[in-house]
Amino acid sequence: RIFVLGIGFFTLCFLMTSLGGQFSAKRLGDSPFTIRTEVMGALESRGLLRRMSDMLEMLMKRMDILARLENSTDFHKGDEARFPLDRLQPAAGLMERIQAIAQNVSDIAIKVDQILRNSLLSRKVMEGRRDQCEVPRDPKYPDCAAKVEWMRARWTSDPCYAFFGVDGTECSFLIYLSEVEWFCPPLPWRNRTLAVPSPPPPPRAQAAFRRDLARLLELIGTGKESLSFMKKRIRHLAQQWLRAARRLEQKLAGRQRDQKHILIHIGFLTEESGDVFSPRVLKGGPLGEMVQWADILAALFMLGHSLRVTVSLKELQSHLGVPPGRGNCPLTSPLPFDLIYTDYHGLQQMKQHMGLSFKKYRCRVRVIDTFGTEPAYNHEEYATLRGYRTNWGYWNLQPAQFMTMFPHTPDNSFMGFVSEELNQTERQLIKANKVSSMAVVYGKEASIWKGKEKFLAILNKYMEIHGTVYYETQRPPEVPAFVKNHGLLPQHEFQQLLRKAKLFIGFGFPYEGPAPLEAIANGCVFLQARFNPPHSSLNHEFFRGKPTSREASVSSQHPYAEEFIGKPHVWTVDYNNSEEFEAAIKTIMRTQVDPYLPYEYTCEGMLERIHAYIQHQDFCTTSSPPPSPKTKSPAMQSPPSPLALAPNSSHLVWSPSAGGAPQAWPPVASLQAWLSEPQHTCTETCRRHGLVCEPTFFRFLNNEEVFLQLSIACDSTEYEMNHLYPAVAQNVRECYLQKEPLLFSCAGYNTKYRRLCPCRDFRHGQVALCRDCL
């Protein structure tokens, strides 16, 4: 009896639990469009109630039989009689309770049946409404009909449409296209709450300079050699970052700074992109990108911003709010980040998985781009028409959203990295311990040494040659026998080697890495080859396919060191001329140099630069485009130019009588407009006047009156898409203005044109910022 009663009780509990599950279960992805599925589930629940009632009735019958069986036995005899009698009393009570429960379940079944009938009726009315939807014809939504047609044919191509409730009916298409995307007007019969004025957003938290990097090391994570490399670098430079942050904090004098929510997605480290860097960290592969990313992470963190760091596609999707599917649908909620720092791999991943939201939010993206992206390659239509299209360009971003390792072209923002600074004691110690006959070769891969035997033989006549070439223990290093190869060294040991050496010599590759700056900062002279003709995408395989021409600019292995540092720290010679090469080595051995590091490559310089970008660069607020081309009548005139001819000069400056200066960054007071020579880019033109080309000022020059102010009489003026405009074809006096703002470019030249070039001043040691830009 006890066993039967227990079975009955637990059966009852199980049935009640199952019934509750039928009504409370909620599947992932349920939406207002899953009425059909929910009704079918409810029908199953009604059947379950009936089965439960039948089982309770059967249980009651069996207990009744058990009670009659007990009355006919002799269990009441002897001492045992008390035991069964004690049990029968609660059993009778249990039967009464089961009868009551059975009656309640029966009542519930009747009520559920009534509810389901009403639900089915409502569903029929709703489905009739849903099937009667027609595509609205609203001139404000011209693409609605075409989008509905596309949904009819392709709505099953991506599961994300079903996630948002699309089920193949016409109404579900229109609901999706009006409420998730924005191609159709809202449906009037949809239950939509009246728009109420949203309360003003709470004040933004203020960014405060941080005093510890421990939290950043946790954010970076573990599991990859590349991440370990970056964390070691951050730890090594931690004290320099802290000192630099304190100095910048004093310089800003308590200025208010909003704390930004920033996502850092390092796309080239994801498994989907191949992550070719992590396996090469311990084998001498190029580490320049990881050096730069480590310094970007440290700078953003020290400035006090809120960071999220991802190196996997799954984490990226989670942080962005990507719906399940193949990436055709928008994000499920507004983007929670003010800024996203990524690379070309990450940019491609974001475009693939964000759907229409990528176009909406791409103004918040900052692309870490080692070699740069020139406007001619960035504008998709122009690049396709003019042959500038590559695998890495055509993103239609503002060119300043691309951030480079060196200031190649002012069209992009110069991000940079940092090199270790020395205190006065370390500088004196290095000078005292320099070995004038010691040289270190730039290059950790054996391929860099191939074909350089002639140079090495000349160098070996005067200096002891050291290398840091990676090699496996079972194979000897592929370098000449007279070279003392240390193998791949940890960063601090490599620094110690540079502090002893007199010469750091490059053989043409790798291009524009951080090592020459580290060597110069440790008191070495950097010797490199001059390229004649200069390397570019037009004549060299390495640059082919990259979104930059770099015409006439890659004249050596490290153009920044050649141009911005120069002698006595940097020597650029013709390696094909043995006499010039040998003479340079002799002179270098006799030359005394102090350790030197440009301010823009110090921790403070990088903090200052990134702070200015975050505070002032806004690519989500559109500026007014150039006026559209029109057929002009004699009565029509160009708007007056805000520029004026500088006293006793041939260039233009911002006119004091131009009224209130626009809210521009850099400030317009730093603007100077010059006319280039036919064979010069605007970058070169500004540099010849001790200035920097500033592409944000092109919009002030894109005016016919500016030609007149520079004494250029235009026989005709046309608006066209061309990355060299505004310009004048001087022989025929034809003037050209820019039709597409994304094509304003400091790069490029044509001997036919003289270009109008916007220039600005710059801070000493900080070419990215004008004097009043901080």
Side-chain angles (χ1 to χ4, degrees), residues 422 430-431 434-435 438-441 463 494-505 515-527 565-566 568-571 588 591-596:
L422 305 175
I430 286 175
K431 290 179 67 175
K434 278 292 179 185
V435 179
M438 178 178 173
V440 176
V441 175
M463 308 185 85
F494 181 63
Q495 293 276 357
Q496 294 301 320
L497 189 66
L498 292 177
R499 292 184 178 190
K500 292 181 180 179
K502 177 72 174 182
L503 178 67
F504 190 63
I505 181 171
L517 265 65
E518 294 179 355
I520 295 167
N522 283 285
C524 293
V525 174
F526 178 50
L527 177 64
I565 301 177
H569 303 280
V570 179
W571 289 63
I588 290 170
T591 304
Q592 295 294 323
V593 297
D594 293 329
Y596 173 72

Side-chain angles (χ1 to χ4, degrees), residues 189-211:
W189 54 268
R190 290 283 290 169
N191 291 328
R192 304 177 64 86
T193 58
L194 294 176
V196 294
S198 57
R204 295 289 296 264
Q206 293 299 297
F209 287 94
R210 290 194 170 95
R211 302 287 184 259

Side-chain angles (χ1 to χ4, degrees), residues 58 60 85-86 90 144 272 285 294 305 314 409 536 554 649 697:
M58 183 179 296
M60 289 171 58
L85 284 172
D86 294 339
C144 183
E272 289 76 11
H305 298 292
K314 185 176 181 180
T409 170
S536 71
V554 189
S649 182
F697 289 156

Side-chain angles (χ1 to χ4, degrees), residues 40 52 69 120 174 183 234 295 302 515 530 733 754:
M40 292 304 296
M52 179 179 171
L69 180 64
L120 288 172
L174 290 171
F183 294 104
I234 291 171
D295 296 344
M302 292 305 299
R530 179 184 298 114
R733 290 189 175 184
R754 298 185 70 186

Side-chain angles (χ1 to χ4, degrees), residues 410-469:
D411 294 322
N412 302 147
S413 298
F414 164 44
M415 172 59 76
F417 58 94
V418 303
S419 289
E420 188 171 358
E421 296 179 75
L422 305 175
N423 58 39
Q424 194 59 35
T425 302
E426 291 171 326
R427 293 165 67 91
Q428 293 299 328
L429 192 62
I430 286 175
K431 290 179 67 175
N433 294 331
K434 278 292 179 185
V435 179
S436 60
S437 59
M438 178 178 173
V440 176
V441 175
Y442 180 19
K444 293 172 289 187
E445 293 183 315
S447 59
I448 295 172
W449 295 65
K450 292 180 180 179
K452 308 301 187 298
E453 292 79 9
K454 179 180 177 181
F455 309 122
L456 291 169
I458 296 174
L459 182 62
N460 189 48
K461 290 166 53 178
Y462 301 96
M463 308 185 85
E464 183 182 78
I465 305 175
H466 294 251
T468 56
V469 182

Side-chain angles (χ1 to χ4, degrees), residues 543-613:
F543 290 101
R544 193 163 292 125
K546 291 182 171 57
T548 172
S549 296
R550 302 290 298 276
E551 296 170 344
S553 63
V554 189
S555 56
S556 61
Q557 182 175 352
H558 207 291
Y560 176 87
E562 176 188 7
E563 182 179 330
F564 287 88
I565 301 177
K567 291 182 179 180
H569 303 280
V570 179
W571 289 63
T572 306
V573 301
D574 183 1
Y575 278 23
N576 294 320
N577 187 329
S578 300
E579 293 180 357
E580 182 182 355
F581 179 77
E582 189 168 0
I585 294 173
K586 292 178 182 179
T587 305
I588 290 170
M589 292 180 68
R590 298 191 302 266
T591 304
Q592 295 294 323
V593 297
D594 293 329
Y596 173 72
L597 180 62
Y599 173 76
E600 55 200 358
Y601 284 97
T602 65
C603 291
E604 184 179 353
M606 187 168 184
L607 284 174
E608 183 180 276
R609 191 165 56 250
I610 295 182
H611 156 74
Y613 290 155

Side-chain angles (χ1 to χ4, degrees), residues 16-34:
M16 293 300 292
T17 303
S18 301
L19 179 62
Q22 289 291 325
F23 288 114
S24 64
K26 181 74 174 175
R27 294 177 302 279
L28 287 175
D30 276 356
S31 72
F33 306 99
T34 54

